[in-house]
Amino acid sequence: MTQPAKLSIQDLSFTYADGTMALRQINLNIQPNELFVLFGPSRSGKSTLLRLFNRLSDLQPYAHHDGRIFLDGQDIFAKETDIYSLRRRVSMVFAIPTPLPGSIYDNLVYGLLVAGIRDKSILGERVERALQQAALWDEVKDRLYTSAFALSGGQKQRLCLARSLALEPEVILLDNPTSGLDPISTAVVERSLYELKQQYTIIMVPHSVQQAARVADRTAFMLDGEIIEVGAQRQIFFNPTDKRTEDYVMGRFG
């Protein structure tokens, strides 16, 4: 029996205020506990689609969408949707790590405090678990109360991932999370993704085609706001059915 989709996208289009159509008739199902990758050339609509999943697209003045997105069968654009609850369930980690002012611990508990959690034992448990999940605990456990700005670039990125994990989301959105990292830090982040997908659904815009091929369970190739092809990692990268997918994967354009 087919497992119900975690996210189901139906006939989704998105148009910016200037009339530019960024997405055209997107149809896609993303399953629970898979690492799903959106890849394609610049301006293909990948990040726009990612931002629609937790309605960060709402921050674009006068832009509008058509179509629907369902999270566990519930329309995220319905009037009764609590957008703050949605963004706790569907969390975003951006390309440029942005620690908050304060300590490592302050960064981790900020969202929890906003959510009304005050119990220090719960806060401590969430902090430790999130840092372990982001493969950062062993590096910072003895300096939780030092400035987050003292961390290296790779550590800051994993801190931002841990900050999202502390809220115990269901879906994690990753927008080029390793674009500014060195190869060693990139490898650490990628290794952590294999563990995280056991508990979370992960949707990622990768830094490169090579990264997409390394980490994806399934992937969608996007071009000019459309999904050209969807498939398992091996099929898309070794036996694509569309010539445009093959040309991009082989480096003939983009």
Side-chain angles (χ1 to χ4, degrees), residues 13-180:
S13 298
F14 186 81
T15 306
Y16 286 104
D18 64 0
T20 301
M21 196 171 213
L23 296 172
R24 306 167 188 270
Q25 293 290 301
I26 301 294
N27 288 281
L28 182 66
N29 287 325
I30 296 173
Q31 300 302 319
N33 302 105
E34 74 171 338
L35 203 169
F36 194 94
V37 167
L38 302 167
F39 81 106
S42 178
R43 304 181 70 82
S44 60
K46 310 179 298 291
S47 293
T48 299
L49 180 55
L50 207 65
R51 289 166 179 264
L52 276 155
F53 290 145
N54 71 348
R55 290 182 52 180
L56 283 175
S57 55
D58 290 7
L59 302 177
Q60 292 286 340
Y62 307 109
H64 71 273
H65 79 277
D66 296 296
R68 306 171 82 183
I69 298 176
F70 295 91
L71 174 64
D72 289 332
Q74 301 296 312
D75 187 351
I76 70 168
F77 294 111
K79 290 182 179 179
E80 63 270 20
T81 298
D82 182 332
I83 196 164
Y84 299 104
S85 175
L86 172 67
R87 289 176 183 163
R88 283 196 296 271
R89 295 178 67 193
V90 184
S91 182
M92 172 80 87
V93 178
F94 297 96
I96 300 174
T98 52
L100 302 172
S103 69
I104 295 167
Y105 181 88
D106 292 336
N107 271 260
L108 270 293
V109 300
Y110 175 79
L112 300 173
L113 294 173
V114 170
I117 298 173
R118 296 287 186 272
D119 187 301
K120 289 187 177 181
S121 63
I122 293 176
L123 293 174
E125 289 170 5
R126 293 276 196 100
V127 166
E128 181 173 348
R129 182 164 62 246
L131 288 170
Q132 287 177 335
Q133 289 175 323
L136 190 56
W137 173 251
D138 289 341
E139 297 171 39
V140 303
K141 62 184 179 183
D142 297 323
R143 50 182 176 130
L144 291 177
Y145 299 99
T146 61
S147 173
F149 293 115
L151 296 173
S152 69
Q155 289 173 328
K156 287 176 182 175
Q157 187 61 279
R158 283 180 282 149
L159 175 69
C160 292
L161 176 58
R163 195 168 63 201
S164 291
L165 294 172
L167 289 169
E168 298 183 340
E170 299 167 34
V171 180
I172 304 169
L173 310 175
L174 302 174
D175 191 3
N176 282 297
T178 63
S179 62

Side-chain angles (χ1 to χ4, degrees), residues 6 8 52 58 67 74 92 98 180 184-185 196 200 247 252:
K6 186 67 178 178
S8 181
L52 276 155
D58 290 7
Q74 301 296 312
M92 172 80 87
T98 52
I184 293 174
S185 296
L196 291 172
Y200 307 97
D247 286 346
R252 298 187 185 117

